[in-house]
Amino acid sequence: MKRLFFALPLFFTAFTMAQDLKVMSFNIRLQVESDKENAWTERKQDAVDLLNYYHPDYFGVQEALPQQMKDIKNGLKNYNYVGVGRDDGKEKGEFSAIFYNTERLDVVKSGTFWLSETPDIPSKGWDAAYNRVCTYAIFKDKKSKKEFLAMNLHFDHIGNVAREKSAGLILKKIKELNPKDLPVTLSGDFNLTDDTEPIKILSEGLQDSFYHSETKHYGPVGTFTNFNVNEVPKERIDYIFVKDLKIKSHRHINDRRENLLYPSDHFPVIVDVQF
């Protein structure tokens, strides 16, 4: 009986661990030479080192240009990605791609749609300044065999109408892409604080992991730093929303590079969730 008593917790611990999922959202800041000491060429290794250290099961990137996508892919072991450039649906322009750990996750289905009136083709929506996209994948967890829908996006930074319409489009697409009503994760740079209408719209159908974590949020409240190391950011514009997942922890990663500068002008958001 003692042997059985001690074996059961080990079994359940292993089973529980198999259900945990580590998700990250990371606006890596596009390559701009005028950033000088904060240009991608100066900080790409630090960004890759951060990703290798935290080792998320999947992470969504924003502002990633084609060369940056290659740098991240080449710097990580056993990761692949889904996603396309927002300008031509292929390799041109910024990606809002999803990188995933190939040892942990299989892709069942994936794609990209545009945050516009014509989501199936490269396009700029409503009053947006740029083309904006959302990349998605239905993943299967190799350990538990459970499936979930992951989405990653970057809302426009100017168009108020575009951001509100995009929020409605996201909720519509979740229903279209998810007929099995699988659990959902939605990561991204939303360029909005949580008192704005688009975030309120999304919060009606999804849980903001910042507020629904079982353990208290860790790290600065804000996520956008503009590379300023002398002020603690107060504005939270990067989010991870979930549906039908238990949120175990939520953190904004404010790690610095060896020269005490930041790896990006946004703090990565990382959450631990459980099926």
Side-chain angles (χ1 to χ4, degrees):
M1 287 300 292
K2 283 187 176 180
R3 190 174 300 169
L4 178 61
F5 177 79
F6 286 113
L8 277 172
L10 292 173
F11 169 80
F12 284 116
T13 299
F15 183 79
T16 301
M17 287 177 63
Q19 311 302 300
D20 290 341
L21 192 69
K22 190 184 296 185
V23 179
M24 179 187 286
S25 181
F26 193 8
N27 183 324
I28 65 166
R29 171 67 174 171
L30 76 166
Q31 162 66 358
V32 182
E33 287 303 325
S34 59
D35 282 343
K36 298 179 181 177
E37 69 271 19
N38 288 310
W40 176 250
T41 50
E42 301 299 316
R43 58 186 172 84
K44 65 180 179 182
Q45 190 58 53
D46 298 279
V48 168
D49 288 347
L50 183 151
L51 290 164
N52 273 312
Y53 178 79
Y54 287 98
H55 197 60
D57 295 305
Y58 100 70
F59 61 95
V61 293
Q62 301 88 38
E63 293 195 25
L65 293 172
Q67 183 58 50
Q68 292 175 291
M69 292 292 295
K70 292 177 184 176
D71 290 339
I72 294 171
K73 175 79 162 55
N74 292 338
L76 301 178
K77 185 179 179 181
N78 300 320
Y79 279 84
N80 204 348
Y81 71 85
V82 296
V84 296
R86 70 186 188 184
D87 291 346
D88 64 352
K90 296 176 183 176
E91 289 288 328
K92 189 177 179 183
E94 295 177 14
F95 286 64
S96 292
I98 299 173
F99 284 84
Y100 62 97
N101 181 353
T102 57
E103 293 186 321
R104 176 74 191 271
L105 300 173
D106 282 325
V107 177
V108 177
K109 178 183 178 181
S110 67
T112 297
F113 60 89
W114 278 257
L115 302 177
S116 76
E117 301 94 324
T118 52
D120 296 329
I121 59 174
S123 50
K124 184 168 64 175
W126 304 284
D127 60 345
Y130 298 106
N131 288 7
R132 299 291 183 175
V133 294
C134 177
T135 293
Y136 66 89
I138 293 178
F139 288 116
K140 177 180 280 189
D141 184 338
K142 291 184 177 183
K143 295 180 180 179
S144 68
K145 307 303 179 184
K146 291 182 180 292
E147 296 183 2
F148 66 98
L149 171 63
M151 306 176 81
N152 180 63
L153 56 75
H154 191 182
F155 273 9
D156 198 63
H157 66 302
I158 289 177
N160 289 323
V161 174
R163 289 182 290 209
E164 189 164 336
K165 294 288 189 181
S166 294
L169 178 62
I170 291 299
L171 293 179
K172 178 184 175 184
K173 283 291 186 179
I174 287 174
K175 291 181 180 179
E176 289 180 5
L177 298 169
N178 191 20
K180 294 181 180 179
D181 200 25
L182 302 170
V184 178
T185 62
L186 171 65
S187 58
D189 173 1
F190 290 79
N191 274 312
L192 292 164
T193 53
D194 61 11
D195 58 345
T196 55
E197 189 60 27
I199 298 300
K200 291 177 182 177
I201 290 171
L202 289 168
S203 297
E204 290 175 2
L206 304 166
Q207 287 186 314
D208 181 348
S209 57
F210 180 88
Y211 290 114
H212 293 274
S213 173
E214 289 187 354
T215 56
K216 182 182 176 182
H217 161 76
Y218 183 76
V221 172
T223 58
F224 179 62
T225 70
N226 200 28
F227 289 119
N228 184 352
V229 296
N230 297 314
E231 288 184 15
V232 178
K234 294 180 175 60
E235 290 197 342
R236 182 170 70 103
I237 61 174
D238 301 86
Y239 300 75
I240 297 176
F241 291 93
V242 306
K243 181 176 180 287
D244 295 333
L245 289 164
K246 185 182 293 186
I247 305 153
K248 305 296 288 183
S249 66
H250 183 283
R251 180 183 176 185
H252 296 156
I253 301 171
N254 59 340
D255 297 353
R256 295 197 189 189
R257 295 147 59 190
E258 192 171 322
N259 57 7
L260 300 182
L261 301 178
Y262 290 129
S264 177
D265 62 344
H266 288 243
F267 290 150
V269 183
I270 190 165
V271 299
D272 282 304
V273 297
Q274 196 175 81
F275 289 105

